[in-house]
Amino acid sequence: MKKLLFSGSLLIAVGLLFFFLITMKIDIFQTMDEMAPMMMPPPETVSTSKVEKQVWQERISSIGSIEPINGVLLEAELAGVVKEIAFENGDKVEESQLLVQLDTAVEEAQLRAAEASARLAKVELERSERLRKSGSIPQSDLDRAQAEFDRTGAEVENLKAVIDRKTIRAPFTGKAGIRQVNLGQYVPVGAPVIALQSYDQVYVNFTLPQQYLPRIKVGNPIALKSDAFPTQSFDGLITAISPEVDPLTRTIEAQGTIDNPEELLRAGLFVKVEIALPDVNEVLVVPSTSVKYAPYGNSVFKIEETNAGTVANQVFVRTGKRRGDYISITGGLEAGDSVVSAGAFKIANGASVSVDDKLSPAVELEPTPPNS
């Protein structure tokens, strides 16, 4: 009887213990369920932008180099000693202005002697003409007098040409470079003297892939940008297109003309060239920072309002061309959709978010950052 009572009491105690443990577990789980919402991480703060429609003119980009319309390195045509330098480095010089004079003392003395001989030959020719009319001399004497007159005249012209070739003048109005000769220096034939460039207008030479041949024409507007002048754009027109395609690179060479009244564009300057085509397209665009790139596809986070609050759902999109801070979207979004433009790297698909557009960076179609 006692054993039965002990066994029954033990069973009751074990049952009570199990009941107590189960009740405690249930209370713990209920408490965890009640606290679960409070233990969720707070929504991430992101900035958003609207998918908008823009009208983009078709453009082709290339790189080019500036060349002057008039540019030359003046060289010595004849050897001689520098007698005079009539300009300062960097001067604006006018057409026909004297730049460098080589010593012509010998040629000038020879010219005076030749001019004296020419005057005498002229007197002899006039006398021979009178005597021939009276029949006092034969025709051969008159012919010799004529030949002597022609010879002395040619000698005068030759010496004048030598003096002129030793006088280096500006062939056009432009800006002088840095002279490469000094007073008293002996200058051999072909030695460089001074570079002269005209910058009122300049050429830009650039190349394009052959597939653009049907789309570009003389008269297409072009715009140049250079890192030397990051906040400025220089406008011009295509003025020449090469009639042949380079068989090695399969590219077309083209040339544009740019007005350069401030003479900012200089020979050899590297520039970016944009050619404006007549085609105009309407495109959907988002900031470039909205797109998340991945090998399996590009995506954006689209903002949607649900019963649980504001969430960011990942949407795969097809992207097109880029321009400035924007990228075109060819599929996956519609105009007016709201997408995450800043903070996409820290959220996952379906994440709760808090929108604060004050943090959104400025988005421009033609950005001009100071360090570009």
Side-chain angles (χ1 to χ4, degrees), residues 161-312:
V162 170
I163 292 172
D164 186 61
R165 293 171 69 187
K166 286 192 172 185
T167 304
I168 300 173
R169 299 183 181 275
F172 51 82
T173 299
K175 180 169 285 190
I178 299 174
R179 60 183 170 86
Q180 301 184 42
V181 295
N182 297 301
L183 282 174
Q185 178 181 343
Y186 175 77
V187 179
V189 175
V193 176
I194 183 67
L196 182 64
Q197 310 283 348
S198 176
Y199 288 120
D200 293 337
Q201 276 191 330
V202 293
Y203 290 135
V204 55
N205 294 328
F206 57 94
T207 58
L208 293 170
Q210 64 179 9
Q211 61 263 33
Y212 291 119
L213 182 57
R215 306 184 66 187
I216 62 169
K217 292 179 173 55
V218 171
N220 283 144
I222 58 175
L224 308 186
K225 287 189 176 179
S226 170
D227 54 7
F229 310 101
T231 62
Q232 290 184 264
S233 179
F234 304 89
D235 299 325
L237 298 173
I238 293 179
T239 50
I241 299 173
S242 175
E244 61 182 4
V245 175
D246 190 318
L248 297 178
T249 60
R250 307 301 176 189
T251 56
I252 316 154
E253 186 175 356
Q255 186 177 78
T257 304
I258 312 293
D259 288 330
N260 189 36
E262 298 179 4
E263 299 186 351
L264 298 178
L265 300 175
R266 300 296 180 90
L269 187 68
F270 172 84
V271 292
K272 298 174 184 176
V273 184
E274 279 198 345
I275 303 99
L277 301 178
D279 305 328
V280 175
N281 297 321
E282 189 177 73
V283 293
L284 293 178
V285 299
V286 297
S288 300
T289 54
S290 301
V291 180
K292 197 173 183 181
Y293 299 94
Y296 52 81
N298 303 328
S299 62
V300 300
F301 284 100
K302 182 178 175 181
I303 298 297
E304 296 180 351
E305 297 294 336
T306 66
N307 294 332
T310 304
V311 297

Side-chain angles (χ1 to χ4, degrees), residues 17-274:
L17 179 61
F18 274 108
F19 176 76
F20 177 73
L21 291 174
I22 291 171
T23 303
M24 283 184 63
K25 285 292 184 182
I26 292 172
D27 288 343
I28 290 171
F29 288 139
Q30 287 178 344
T31 302
M32 289 176 65
D33 288 340
E34 292 172 357
M35 295 182 64
M38 296 171 26
M39 297 174 64
M40 293 290 290
E44 293 286 356
T45 301
V46 297
S47 298
T48 62
S49 293
K50 294 288 185 182
V51 179
E52 59 180 282
K53 286 184 179 180
Q54 290 185 358
V55 176
W56 283 5
Q57 185 175 26
E58 282 291 312
R59 295 182 183 178
I60 304 171
S61 296
S62 181
I63 57 174
S65 180
I66 297 297
E67 285 190 7
I69 290 181
N70 288 317
V72 66
L73 176 62
L74 298 176
E75 298 176 344
E77 294 185 62
L78 296 174
V81 176
V82 178
K83 179 182 178 182
E84 180 185 359
I85 297 175
F87 71 97
E88 295 293 335
N89 293 337
D91 272 358
K92 181 76 176 287
V93 297
E94 300 297 326
E95 183 178 355
S96 301
Q97 178 179 330
L98 175 64
L99 299 179
V100 174
Q101 178 66 65
L102 301 183
D103 183 28
T104 57
V106 174
E107 288 82 2
E108 288 173 358
Q110 292 173 343
L111 176 61
R112 290 192 294 272
E115 287 174 339
S117 297
R119 288 192 296 270
L120 178 60
K122 182 179 180 182
V123 171
E124 291 291 344
L125 176 61
E126 291 172 348
R127 181 182 298 114
S128 296
E129 287 174 344
R130 290 194 302 269
L131 292 173
R132 177 58 187 157
K133 286 180 183 179
S134 64
S136 301
I137 61 171
Q139 179 65 37
S140 58
D141 288 351
L142 176 60
D143 293 340
R144 278 193 291 271
Q146 180 67 53
E148 181 64 15
F149 175 76
D150 292 340
R151 185 192 67 78
T152 55
E155 187 176 353
V156 169
E157 294 301 320
N158 177 61
L159 289 168
K160 286 182 178 179
V162 170
I163 292 172
D164 186 61
R165 293 171 69 187
K166 286 192 172 185
T167 304
I168 300 173
R169 299 183 181 275
F172 51 82
T173 299
K175 180 169 285 190
I178 299 174
R179 60 183 170 86
Q180 301 184 42
V181 295
N182 297 301
L183 282 174
Q185 178 181 343
Y186 175 77
V187 179
V189 175
V193 176
I194 183 67
L196 182 64
Q197 310 283 348
S198 176
Y199 288 120
D200 293 337
Q201 276 191 330
V202 293
Y203 290 135
V204 55
N205 294 328
F206 57 94
T207 58
L208 293 170
Q210 64 179 9
Q211 61 263 33
Y212 291 119
L213 182 57
R215 306 184 66 187
I216 62 169
K217 292 179 173 55
V218 171
N220 283 144
I222 58 175
L224 308 186
K225 287 189 176 179
S226 170
D227 54 7
F229 310 101
T231 62
Q232 290 184 264
S233 179
F234 304 89
D235 299 325
L237 298 173
I238 293 179
T239 50
I241 299 173
S242 175
E244 61 182 4
V245 175
D246 190 318
L248 297 178
T249 60
R250 307 301 176 189
T251 56
I252 316 154
E253 186 175 356
Q255 186 177 78
T257 304
I258 312 293
D259 288 330
N260 189 36
E262 298 179 4
E263 299 186 351
L264 298 178
L265 300 175
R266 300 296 180 90
L269 187 68
F270 172 84
V271 292
K272 298 174 184 176
V273 184
E274 279 198 345

